[in-house]
Amino acid sequence: MTATTETVSTATAPRGRGGAAQSVTDSLVMAKRNLIRMARIPEVVIFGLIQPIMFVVLFSYVFGGSITIPGAGTSASSYREFLMAGIFAQTVTFATAGAGAGIAEDMHKGLIDRFRSLPMTRGAVLTGRTLADLVQTALTLVVLAVVALLVGWRAHDGIPKALAGFGLLLLLGYAFTWIGALIGLSVRTPEAATSGGLIWLFPLTFISVAFVPSQNMPSFLQHIAEWNPFSATVVACRDLFGNLPPGYPVPDAWPMEHPVLASLLWSVLIIAVFRALAVRKYRSATA
């Protein structure tokens, strides 16, 4: 009897009208819902701001002056400018854990089942969540940029290029929230989603050119760091911000020679692959 009831309930659940316009509308509604929830829990946003600010201060004043930057030596001010693109990129990618935990929490509380009863497109729940996370990431970047200015960071190549750099950062962050969405759908609890969203991010961000030049690494790690999608965005931002010192050697790797294009390609590829996987997982998890 229970199986029959569940079958009838699934069969009679209203479906969205479909189409691109309906998908966009549903996604924006879900994004608004998530933003309202974030606004009602401000401590989540506040704690999300504290960690990157701590990274800026600690890396700037603890490691600044002790790490050699090709073309600039061990200048503390040069290291701060070299560092900031890496901190920005690390901050946007760490939004992965929040996205995964949020979706896992909705699954755990049964909210996803309630959404299924509404006439909306299947991908709207995930797209709305990732868009809301993108807004939070943008807010975090604004605050972080102000802190960076206070410790001496500057963008030297003008506002348009600086905005382009921040655009690449947001695109990378949005791409990684889809990885978080897939993780959130694949685990049973929000705690597992948080752990699963962070454990692989640390080697990804540290085996990169975010905090030290790849020339300072062992040869086998240099190739990993230079082909790391995270590194492509970091180098692209340094280029757009004008933060590379004169005479800085460009590694002999295609992503390092064409960082802006490589960053765009990596981010678009990650979105395409992981959005498809996440939507497929969502359908199978709630079928």
Side-chain angles (χ1 to χ4, degrees), residues 209 214-215 219 221-229 231-232 235 248-263 266:
V209 299
S214 60
Q215 294 89 335
S219 59
L221 285 181
Q222 288 184 22
H223 300 296
I224 297 174
E226 290 163 3
W227 282 90
N228 185 340
S231 293
V235 176
Y248 184 86
V250 177
D252 186 20
W254 187 86
M256 301 294 96
E257 295 172 345
H258 309 277
V260 174
L261 179 58
S263 175
W266 272 121

Side-chain angles (χ1 to χ4, degrees), residues 176-188:
F176 273 58
T177 56
W178 281 107
I179 301 177
L182 180 61
I183 293 172
L185 291 167
S186 303
V187 299
R188 296 183 179 181

Side-chain angles (χ1 to χ4, degrees), residues 30 33 37 101-118 125 188-190 282 285-286:
M30 292 305 301
R33 173 254 177 189
R37 185 173 69 171
I103 291 172
E105 183 179 13
D106 286 346
M107 291 281 291
H108 185 66
K109 291 181 177 179
L111 287 176
I112 297 296
D113 291 330
R114 298 179 191 177
F115 293 147
R116 289 184 63 220
S117 67
L118 300 175
V125 173
R188 296 183 179 181
T189 64
Y282 173 81
T286 60

Side-chain angles (χ1 to χ4, degrees), residues 141 161-173 237 264:
L141 271 182
K161 284 192 173 183
L163 292 177
F166 284 113
L168 288 178
L169 289 166
L170 290 175
L171 182 62
L172 180 71
C237 289
L264 286 171

Side-chain angles (χ1 to χ4, degrees), residues 16-73:
R17 295 187 297 274
Q22 180 69 21
S23 179
V24 170
T25 300
D26 293 343
S27 298
L28 291 177
V29 170
M30 292 305 301
K32 181 179 178 181
R33 173 254 177 189
N34 282 288
L35 288 172
I36 291 173
R37 185 173 69 171
M38 290 177 184
R40 291 175 178 172
I41 314 175
E43 56 268 26
V44 174
V45 179
I46 293 172
F47 290 149
L49 292 172
I50 292 175
Q51 178 178 306
I53 292 173
M54 289 176 58
F55 271 113
V56 171
V57 176
L58 290 174
F59 274 85
S60 296
Y61 294 103
V62 174
F63 294 105
S66 61
I67 294 178
T68 301
I69 306 298

